[in-house]
Amino acid sequence: MSKDIKIKDHITLFNDERFSEMFDRKRELYENAATKEEVAKTLEWTLGEEYKDLNFKREHLVINPLKSCQPLGALYAAIGIDDTMPYVHGSQGCAAYFRSHFCRHFKEPFPAVSDSMTEDAAVFGGHNNMYVGLDNVYKLYKPGMVAICTSCMSEVIGDDLNNFVKNAKEQGKIPADFPTAYAHTPSFVGSHINGYDNMMLSLVSQIGEKTGEVKDRINVILGFDTYIGNFREIKRILGLFGVDYILISDPSYNLDSPTDGHYKMFNGGTKLEDLKDAPNSKATLLLQKYSTAKTREYMEKEWGHPVKVVNPFGIKGSDDLMMAIAELTGKEIPTEIENERGRFIDAIGDSYFWVHGKSFSLNADPDYAIGLTRFVMELGGDIKHVLLTNGSKDWEAEIKGILAEYPQGKDAEVYANKDMWHFRSLLATDPSDFIIGNTFAKYLMRDTGIPLIRIGFPLFDRQFLHRYPTIGYMGGLNLLNWIVNTILDETDRKTMYTTSYDVIR
Amino acid sequence: MSTIDKKQAEEFIESVITQYEEKTYKDRKTHIEVVEPGQEKCAVKSNRKSRPGVITMRGCAYAGAKGVVWGPIKDIINVSHGPVGCGQYSWSSRRNYYNGTTGVDSFGTMQFTSDFQEKDIVFGGDAMLRELLREANQLFPLNRGLSVLSECPIGLIGDDIEAVSREISKEIGKPVIPCRCEGFRGVSQSLGHHIANDTIRDWIYEKDLEGQKFEKGPYDVALIGDYNIGGDIWSSRKILEDMGLNLVAQSTGDSTFSELANVAQAKVVLIHCYRSMNYISRYIEEKYNVPWLEFNFFGPTQIIKSMRKIAEMFDDKIKEKTEKVIAEKYQPYFDKIVSKFKPRLEGKKAMLFVGGLRPRHTMPAFHDLGVEIMLTGYEFAHGDDYQRTLEYVNETTIIVDDMSEFEMDNFLEKYKPDLFGSGIKEKYQTQKSGIPFRQMHSWDYSGPYHGVEGFAVFARDMDMAINGSVWKNIKAPWKA
């Protein structure tokens, strides 16, 4: 037998000397590169106090932000409705980017069409694109509904979705009774969480039909929550309560479909008839606040039923969730849930001493930032920096209030509208022991040496994390697992060649 | 023997596209052709608008200009000018590798954006852009230049990014390059490549900007149109160096502003991705009288053929060196790789749908491993690309331009290939169908695939995909 040939890919190949020599030669002779000394000096400067001041003086340039644009969130709300085709009215590149972004996070297909507006549409408007687009969508993919949002181009030229859809129906491109929801989602206003809110508002207001009858049932909306496990977890919890409910937008079908040899574009989600009937539920429970603000306002005003918001993370958050369900439905909290709470507390009791006294810096979307911050403090962890790009004044006031409730929050600094380059300066000059953040925070880990606990969106560089729940007691167990075991991995790495490299921890 | 029967395939295609609305049907009919080996003309229409509502796989001009041409140049700051999304979705997603210290002398995996707000749409963004470029230059003093890459709103609101760029360039003494690559321009990424090439022409060569001075020699070459996905350009560079050639510039993978300027200083410009950079090579030939040559570094057959073709441009010393390295190093290595993987891949059938080059360039690498190509097509090719594809056709092949997801679904269902090579948006639905998949834009987080080492990785990965055990477990045993 001949010896098997060893194949090196990019992970090790370019460490070979023949390549490193080549790189050095290129740098020296052709790149007009700065000297090694200049680079080292500049690097040190970028990690210092002087640079931090300069960095925080920046008013216009945004570097490595923690937000995406509105239509992305709109598509996410739409993909949770059964048999519904998300539709982007604008340039086709937008749809390609949204789909790629979601595919990279969920490792799932993400169908969405664009009506491919080009120069001529800039001059004449995008109505013809929409007529042909709706015609094709209806004929080819046979959806039960189309959920339309806009991207920059159609917003800047001022296309009127209401009119276009009406005309498309009058021209017979789609049947007059074909359900359509449409939301204006300009990318230059707010972020993806506002796009989610705008599409959710369109779904409930344009499809929902209030009859006056009040049904013994609640609505639940999770918000821009990209942990698919949460949709199954809330259904399980509501099942234990024995509650009748409508989960408005449930992407756990379309974004976690089985591989069985047959691709299906539409796999399930909130049924159209349920969406229609949602206004007739007796109450609505929202599990995010900042991605549902307009929707909440509409429901309170137009539906006139109680709308309750909870932030369902950690001990207090999960307690709030269970009590809210009990309050809105009049049901007792089931023994099984009480046992789950007990197990969650048990797990925290076993492990919190690895977290207590360590310091954490966080980045996330507003609702997650609040939940994670409070949970870390419940474990005894100190909060150093909480930094968002898409935070608001309300959010800032709320999180400051929560930080003030815990001794672990007394030294925390809060930034509602900064980016990850600001974060780099903060962590370099005033480091915490750990960072909690999304995939892009790995660049902070590289630049500051602070280990990263991956929680958030997007998560491109790890598999499966989005499949787990993060809400409720059982979701809390996953958060605890990621936090505590990353700390333990790090402890092992640090102690590997010392006597503290313990087998039992 | 070809798996595809021309007449049957044509009937099948007709049955699929008749389901479109009328105008779309008429349009799509001209974008698909079943071709035979030896055929001289390809009639496929290309570089036309995608029909609304079909789920095209295409992106936009911004994606072509930022993601492909400007994005990989490591020592300049590429500002995505407009709302936050475009820059965010294209952030670090193309795997254009580079050596350097990110945030200090290199900026490839950073997202710089002007994060346009409503007030900027209303009042214009020029004043803000001016300040923003100053801030960037101040915070990153080792940058060698900046580019302004326009997103859709910029062109619609009538900002004058050229004037701002000129002004700031003068002020900071560095090139500032405005690139009007708004996503609504043109029909695909392709116009973005062209626009980006034109900005290189107008703002670098036409201004006679210079790179680092170097000692010139008879074997100086430049390598362009390689974006260093997973290290591609590095393994390509190795081959050229082994041939005795001297690479004075590469673009735009792991490239620098200096190298970009120095491309015109080479004796020969070697171009890998013809589609995205042929514009600049034609221009350089015209202005500087430097010839250019297309080559293909995918798989043994084409690597060796290309090496000889390149060597022909030089003297006997290079030719001899080339033959020596082929005979002593490359051929024996290729033989080993082929003998390991060909028995595992012989007779397998693949479909490809990629960007503007790989749908044809990778075909011979598959053939070297005994894999048949049933279908291939491009997101954003032009007529000359389809013509060039015929050279590589070994069996009856379906050629599709701008394939919609609807067509893709039908082709996969009908022909059930052993492998489909396409992009991230296509990956997961293909796998749901039980068909092995490799991303052929990003090399599916692997690579390099170019060059000698790259072929080994390519062969390993295709075997890993096609023969992955999981694909034998799709059906539950209790389901017949």
Side-chain angles (χ1 to χ4, degrees), chain A residues 3 48 130 153 167 193 198 249 286 300 318 323 326-327 342 358 385 397 404-405 420 428 479:
Chain A
K3 217 175 138 209
M130 186 170 280
M153 183 184 184
N167 291 344
I193 61 172
N198 280 329
S249 184
L286 305 173
E300 281 168 346
S318 301
M323 290 189 292
E327 181 195 319
K358 303 234 171 27
H385 312 288
E405 289 171 23
M420 293 175 91
L479 295 175

Side-chain angles (χ1 to χ4, degrees), chain A residues 310-434:
Chain A
V310 293
N311 180 278
F313 300 97
I315 303 169
K316 180 180 184 299
S318 301
D319 291 346
D320 287 348
L321 171 66
M322 303 312 165
M323 290 189 292
I325 297 171
E327 181 195 319
L328 293 176
T329 62
K331 301 261 183 182
E332 293 278 315
I333 293 175
T335 316
E336 180 57 29
I337 298 276
E338 283 179 359
N339 287 337
E340 285 176 9
R341 186 183 194 280
R343 287 184 208 117
F344 182 44
I345 299 295
D346 186 82
I348 294 172
D350 296 347
S351 60
Y352 77 93
F353 54 90
W354 287 105
V355 185
H356 193 98
K358 303 234 171 27
S359 61
F360 296 79
S361 294
L362 296 94
N363 66 56
D365 278 338
D367 291 285
Y368 259 81
I370 284 175
L372 291 170
T373 298
R374 195 180 48 225
F375 183 46
V376 166
M377 294 192 293
E378 286 174 343
L379 300 174
D382 297 327
I383 304 296
K384 189 87 135 188
H385 312 288
V386 184
L387 184 144
L388 270 63
T389 309
N390 56 352
S392 58
K393 283 206 171 76
D394 290 351
W395 173 83
E396 198 172 332
E398 184 180 357
I399 196 155
K400 280 183 173 165
I402 293 168
L403 286 162
E405 289 171 23
Y406 296 79
Q408 288 84 357
K410 67 177 180 347
D411 296 328
E413 289 179 40
V414 174
Y415 303 89
N417 295 107
K418 294 292 173 197
D419 58 42
M420 293 175 91
W421 198 253
H422 292 117
F423 212 174
R424 181 181 182 271
S425 276
L426 289 173
L427 291 170
T429 53
D430 185 15
S432 56
D433 296 320
F434 293 90

Side-chain angles (χ1 to χ4, degrees), chain A residues 25-26 32 141 257 443, chain B residues 49 54 92 212 241 254 432:
Chain A
R25 208 163 49 242
K26 177 175 179 293
N32 186 28
Y141 301 109
S257 66
Y443 291 144
Chain B
K49 273 187 210 173
V54 301
S92 294
Q212 183 173 349
E241 290 192 353
D254 189 38
K432 302 266 181 212

